[in-house]
Amino acid sequence: MTTGAVPPLPRERGGAPVTMVAGSGVDGRLLRLAGVVNGSDVVALPSAGEPRRVPNGRRALVVADQVGTPRTELRVGVDMLDRAGVAWGLVLAADPLLARFALLKALLVQIAPTTGRAAVISGSYATPFDIAGPSTSGHADDRPGALFTSRCDVLLLNGHANAFDASVGPGAVLCARAGRIHDRGPAVLPCFNDGTCFRQPSSGGRRLVALMETDATVLVLSGCELMPLGPSWFRAESSLAHQAAASRSLATIVSSDVSQGVLELDLLTMALIADGRPLGEVVRAVNDRRRRHGGPGPGTGTGASGPFVLLGNPALVLTGSPPVPVPCRSVPLADGGRRWHIDLTDVGPLPAEGALVRAEMTLEESAPFLLLQRRSPDGWCRGVHHAGAGGGALYAWVAGAGAQELVVDTLGQEPWQPVRGVLAGHLANGPFWTLFLEDCRQALAGADRSTEPIERLQADTPSLIRTLASGDVALRAPAGVLIDEAAGDAVCAALWRMLHGWQRRLLDAVVHGVAEVGRLHSYGSSPYLHLVRSLESAGPCPCGEGTLTRQVFETSGGQVRRVEALCATCGGGIDDDGRHRVLLERQPVGTLAIARRMVQVAGAPGDRHPW
């Protein structure tokens, strides 16, 4: 569609025009306005049937009527733009007046000055804004707080979300009904009609706040599925994304899919914006990083658009308040990685909420893991690496007194991978112990013996499994994300103490059962474990006269194995997982109640008998 020979409005140096792209069903008057302001033709949104319609150029501004433009068409079109390497932004055209406001915001401002202030309010993780106290945080009990409404360059709101509300901390819930612009058309949720909130009773009566109260140049809504690009169950005009487009912000970054609440991924968004990158390139870089961090989500499995979408001009940049550049030097490590010394003395006294710094750092493909070896005792630091044409940089958010230097090692494998392997083994054996302990309890009850030790273990087993699973998650180290060694070591120490106590309790319970009722058979029958090998020789028996014959049982996937070995001469039996973690030291004399003193953990010489 052409708009005639109307000259474009003047722009600041460096602000190249974007390509205007329109979906079907958009008001022609709005497209004529877009052509006049941008000084270019408006081209149709590419489709699967017409792939040649992908526009030339690096950036595109898509105008789509979420009522008139079929959402499947919108999703296919922006996916094609993504695959073609085009950084794109979106103007929502559901409301005629607000669509013109959003279009003018997007096209008239391409370079925005900054105040040097950015803020994060999260319902998922803690930040120095929380440490600084309620006076500067958005977590006040009865009002959104100074941070939520203060003037800033970037305001990032993180928390569990949907198209109509988002949990942004203990003090407030972001609410679409509280910020609704008009009452036209039917609403999806009953609260839009009767004014009664069904969230507040379960949220402790937190205040409902509106996006219109914010005053940020760029707004980032880092929740889940705030604006899906495909078919959805709600009216776009009532959603938080539509209100964000109508707010005072020049642009808004919202999620269109499942979004992980990870501080470092949100930090990357803030850092790239502060570094003066065009917003379209910021969103492309963040989306690529999020896919690599957690794998493709339900809507990003094709490797196309999402999980974040830009509402606004992809050419918009914020200038004047970049991250503080800090010098660094590195020395090689014996394992092929490097140790980086990052000097923070030039940063100066840190405010309560900390500062964002940038250190030039190149990561080798063979050593992509970052381990924070040293920071100030009272310091707080989180960071993420971003690869670029110049080799890349580490963006770090540092806070606390006495910050002088950061020492970071780059490693070839996850720092706590061996520990995670041990945790995985215990988690894999969780179902076996659940069933084995029940066998023990039934055997003791049948013999009219005390079952109290077994029942206590049974009651504590679910909590143990949850703790182990949480520890495994806490010790994961995604490539390119700065991991604090001291924090990881503290988690490891707590897990080892817990596992040591748990293993001692299991051994005491098994000894109690054997002493009371005799030999206990592990849960090796169908349907949990099935026989995979039988009647194999397992070597000489510890009795010195017989030979062990064993049977091997496994789960269907092979994750859990139980090995049962018997001696036909002495009648002795062995029941373990085949790894021989417990070894016989000497032949017992007396009752089995002293068995605990006769064993030691794996590591004994190989000529000792496995038991």
Side-chain angles (χ1 to χ4, degrees):
M1 178 182 296
T2 59
T3 58
V6 180
L9 296 179
R11 290 180 174 80
E12 297 185 55
R13 184 170 56 87
V18 297
T19 301
M20 293 301 308
V21 181
S24 62
V26 179
D27 186 349
R29 292 169 295 182
L30 181 64
L31 297 182
R32 285 193 290 274
L33 175 64
V36 169
V37 176
N38 195 56
S40 66
D41 294 340
V42 179
V43 302
L45 187 68
S47 65
E50 297 182 85
R52 294 183 181 180
R53 282 202 279 182
V54 175
N56 296 322
R58 295 171 52 205
R59 305 183 183 102
L61 186 60
V62 180
V63 184
D65 181 349
Q66 290 182 290
V67 177
T69 303
R71 292 209 171 184
T72 51
E73 173 191 317
L74 177 59
R75 183 59 191 250
V76 170
V78 296
D79 280 356
M80 294 179 68
L81 293 177
D82 258 325
R83 292 192 181 96
V86 177
W88 56 274
L90 185 63
V91 170
L92 303 178
D95 181 275
L97 181 60
L98 294 178
R100 284 159 174 75
F101 174 61
L103 183 67
L104 292 175
K105 281 197 304 179
L107 292 178
L108 293 181
V109 182
Q110 297 197 44
I111 299 178
T114 56
T115 64
R117 180 167 174 77
V120 176
I121 303 177
S122 174
S124 303
Y125 48 72
T127 73
F129 285 107
D130 305 306
I131 300 169
S135 62
T136 58
S137 78
H139 294 176
D141 291 333
D142 59 345
R143 55 191 173 85
L147 190 61
F148 188 84
T149 57
S150 64
R151 177 72 189 129
C152 58
D153 303 326
V154 182
L155 174 61
L156 189 146
L157 304 176
N158 168 267
H160 177 69
N162 59 58
F164 293 98
D165 58 39
S167 175
V168 292
V173 174
L174 197 60
C175 174
R177 181 177 63 85
R180 60 182 170 180
I181 302 166
H182 53 66
D183 298 320
R184 279 179 287 177
V188 172
L189 301 179
C191 61
F192 279 78
N193 301 318
D194 60 18
T196 302
C197 179
F198 57 89
R199 296 279 195 198
Q200 280 185 304
S202 62
S203 66
R206 286 184 287 174
R207 177 182 170 87
L208 305 179
V209 298
L211 278 174
M212 305 305 288
E213 299 180 49
T214 62
D215 189 15
T217 303
V218 176
L219 189 62
V220 182
L221 303 183
S222 180
C224 288
E225 296 186 325
L226 284 146
M227 199 200 75
L229 292 172
S232 60
W233 53 274
F234 61 87
R235 291 180 60 86
E237 302 94 315
S238 304
S239 67
L240 288 171
H242 189 266
Q243 294 174 16
S247 69
R248 283 173 285 194
S249 300
L250 292 178
T252 304
I253 298 173
V254 300
S255 65
S256 65
D257 208 324
V258 176
S259 172
Q260 295 178 307
V262 179
L263 186 153
E264 287 81 4
L265 297 179
D266 288 336
L267 173 61
L268 179 61
T269 305
M270 306 274 288
L272 294 179
I273 294 174
D275 229 357
R277 310 288 182 92
L279 292 190
E281 296 178 15
V282 170
V283 172
R284 283 183 60 85
V286 169
N287 283 341
D288 177 69
R289 182 54 177 269
R290 282 184 173 268
R291 294 190 197 107
R292 289 187 286 111
H293 182 91
T300 59
T302 59
S305 56
F308 280 91
V309 173
L310 172 64
L311 304 180
N313 193 338
L316 177 66
V317 297
L318 274 61
T319 61
S321 300
V324 180
V326 292
C328 65
R329 57 184 177 83
S330 69
V331 294
L333 297 175
D335 61 358
R338 301 191 72 83
R339 173 161 293 177
W340 298 80
H341 296 265
I342 302 172
D343 187 358
L344 301 179
T345 55
D346 293 340
V347 179
L350 294 173
E353 62 268 22
L356 179 63
V357 302
R358 183 182 194 274
E360 299 294 332
M361 178 184 292
T362 301
L363 286 186
E364 302 290 340
E365 292 186 6
S366 59
F369 299 100
L370 298 172
L371 186 65
L372 179 60
Q373 290 276 1
R374 186 165 68 244
R375 55 175 169 78
S376 63
D378 298 325
W380 183 93
C381 180
R382 304 292 284 271
V384 61
H385 184 270
H386 178 67
L394 175 69
Y395 294 102
W397 185 356
V398 293
Q404 297 293 322
E405 183 187 50
L406 300 177
V407 178
V408 178
D409 286 354
T410 57
L411 308 174
Q413 71 168 5
E414 290 189 45
W416 297 284
Q417 184 60 41
V419 179
R420 292 187 58 211
V422 172
L423 295 180
H426 283 280
L427 288 170
N429 277 288
F432 165 78
W433 281 110
T434 301
L435 296 168
F436 178 65
L437 290 174
E438 177 59 20
D439 271 3
C440 291
R441 190 198 66 79
Q442 292 180 9
L444 289 168
D448 198 22
R449 299 292 192 271
S450 172
T451 61
E452 182 181 356
I454 304 295
E455 290 174 349
R456 287 199 303 266
L457 276 172
Q458 287 179 303
D460 293 343
T461 296
S463 174
L464 171 79
I465 293 175
R466 287 195 300 270
T467 302
L468 293 181
S470 300
D472 177 68
V473 172
L475 292 176
R476 292 180 182 179
V481 171
L482 188 61
I483 304 298
D484 192 326
E485 183 182 44
D489 287 347
V491 172
C492 289
L495 289 171
W496 287 137
R497 288 192 298 269
M498 183 194 65
L499 283 174
H500 174 76
W502 179 255
Q503 290 167 343
R504 177 54 58 92
R505 290 179 64 191
L506 285 174
L507 184 57
D508 286 345
V510 171
V511 169
H512 170 71
V514 171
E516 294 291 341
V517 301
R519 183 175 181 273
L520 293 172
H521 195 287
S522 69
Y523 198 85
S525 59
S526 178
Y528 178 60
L529 296 176
H530 66 279
L531 184 66
V532 294
R533 296 199 305 274
S534 64
L535 303 180
E536 296 181 333
S537 174
C541 177
C543 70
E545 298 181 7
T547 300
L548 292 172
T549 302
R550 71 178 181 182
Q551 301 182 102
V552 180
F553 301 85
E554 290 183 353
T555 56
S556 58
Q559 297 92 345
V560 179
R561 167 185 281 200
R562 309 306 301 175
V563 177
E564 178 187 73
L566 300 174
C567 175
T569 301
C570 70
I574 298 174
D575 196 348
D576 64 11
D577 62 2
R579 291 179 293 176
H580 307 320
R581 291 293 180 89
V582 178
L583 306 176
L584 179 66
E585 282 291 288
R586 63 179 181 272
Q587 195 72 11
V589 177
T591 69
L592 288 174
I594 64 170
R596 188 163 49 122
R597 298 197 300 269
M598 306 176 332
V599 297
Q600 68 177 30
V601 177
D607 58 350
R608 295 184 180 177
H609 293 290
W611 190 258

